[in-house]
Amino acid sequence: MSTNPADPLVALGALPGVPDAVDTVRKAVDRVYGHRVMRRRSNEVTSEAALRGARASAALSGADWALEEVRRRTDFGGDDEARTVGAALRLSAEAGQLLSIWRQSPMRVLARFHLVAASAPGRTPDADASAGAAAAAAADPAAGGSADAVGRPRRDGEPVHEPLIEAPLPDADEVAGRLDGLADLIVRGSSAPALVTAAIVHGELLALRPFTSYSGLVARAAERIVLIGSGLDPKAICPAEVGHAEQGRAAYVAAFDGYLSGTPDGMAAWIAHCGRAVELGVRESTAVCEALQRGAA
């Protein structure tokens, strides 16, 4: 993707329109971080952003519930939609706890994400449990696949359940090779803007759909963890998932098709789409700040 093999994401950051998207996102994030409510009540904004981001990510995976329904419910073990919402909520809560591990071992975090997403309601595996024990304890048979499939990349022939995304599935060998490449990029680090790195992590995981279920939720959680860990959004108050959902499922798929094309225009369009998603996430949290300031939330 770049003439600089040591940092292949840099070239993507120079594509037409991408520097403007990066600059716009940076200014938007700076504005919400400067809101007076953030000085005293940032934890409340973070919690609300996590909830709204989870709701939005679930919507993109086919469970488009109203925010108040997500807030009200305590049982997420019913039908497929309820399990999807529950998985999104668990991932949102988990992301902020895995930042240090992400920088050292992205594959470990992705495996953990899938374990958490696919866990049976009320049986989220302990972070210190062995992979096998955690999978056996956590697997929700209704989530797709068997306990053996939880927390590891899929194998050829295993069914893959990923609503909305209908692109051809890479085979298991390609998935393994591209995951290794992605992990290597993350561990080595990049001087590319955080938005670019986050967009590529999101797009690559969505393209690979490395797990038998919930790969879309995992891809969006990984985008979130990059934005947080990069320092762009350290308090996790700018839920890009909200922006992806607000732009609509059709626009999400169209932008993702650009990523799949691998062309400069397609990649630039995907990165810009992700940038717009962050902007809309900022707008959502700005509204939360304004509501808190008025005493309305």
Side-chain angles (χ1 to χ4, degrees), residues 2 4 12 14 35 40 44 72 83 86-88 103 115 149 177 180 185 193 198 212 235-236 244 259 283:
S2 170
N4 178 7
L12 297 178
H35 196 286
R40 295 182 180 178
E44 294 172 69
R72 179 187 68 82
R83 286 190 292 273
R103 299 184 186 103
L115 280 169
D180 284 346
L185 280 176
T212 57
K235 293 183 182 293
H244 287 302
Y259 178 87
R283 187 175 72 179

Side-chain angles (χ1 to χ4, degrees), residues 35-154:
H35 196 286
R36 62 188 302 175
V37 165
M38 288 296 296
R39 290 198 293 270
R40 295 182 180 178
R41 305 181 70 178
S42 64
N43 288 343
E44 294 172 69
V45 182
T46 296
S47 296
E48 189 64 20
L51 179 71
R52 296 182 183 213
R55 188 219 71 81
S57 190
L60 288 169
S61 286
D64 192 1
W65 288 14
L67 179 63
E68 291 311 312
E69 176 68 5
V70 178
R71 200 189 302 278
R72 179 187 68 82
R73 286 282 287 267
T74 57
D75 176 16
F76 298 98
D79 57 18
D80 284 348
E81 286 195 6
R83 286 190 292 273
T84 297
V85 174
L89 288 167
R90 292 190 296 273
L91 281 174
S92 188
E94 192 80 3
Q97 303 177 38
L98 299 174
L99 290 174
S100 61
I101 301 173
W102 174 258
R103 299 184 186 103
Q104 300 169 13
S105 181
M107 284 305 302
R108 183 179 167 193
V109 171
L110 294 176
R112 173 67 184 173
F113 275 164
H114 191 240
L115 280 169
V116 168
S119 63
R123 299 174 66 190
T124 302
D126 186 273
D128 295 326
S130 69
D140 179 358
S146 64
D148 177 60
V150 176
R152 63 153 173 81
R154 59 182 169 80

Side-chain angles (χ1 to χ4, degrees), residues 184-275:
D184 185 57
L185 280 176
I186 294 165
V187 171
R188 284 192 287 117
S190 174
S191 59
L195 172 64
V196 173
T197 303
I200 297 312
V201 168
H202 181 172
E204 188 69 354
L205 291 173
L206 204 58
L208 296 178
R209 279 146 290 162
F211 304 108
T212 57
S213 60
Y214 299 129
S215 288
L217 295 182
V218 169
R220 291 183 288 274
E223 178 185 47
R224 182 179 181 85
I225 206 171
V226 172
L227 294 171
I228 298 168
S230 67
L232 178 64
D233 182 22
K235 293 183 182 293
I237 62 167
C238 306
E241 306 97 321
V242 169
H244 287 302
E246 187 169 333
Q247 291 178 88
R249 297 175 75 180
Y252 185 69
V253 171
F256 176 58
D257 284 343
Y259 178 87
L260 290 175
S261 76
T263 65
D265 286 349
M267 298 296 281
W270 169 249
I271 295 168
H273 179 89
C274 291

Side-chain angles (χ1 to χ4, degrees), residues 154-173:
R154 59 182 169 80
R155 297 169 184 154
D156 286 335
E158 289 183 324
V160 174
H161 178 66
E162 186 52 54
L164 182 65
I165 304 303
E166 298 178 352
L169 281 168
D171 65 28
D173 285 343

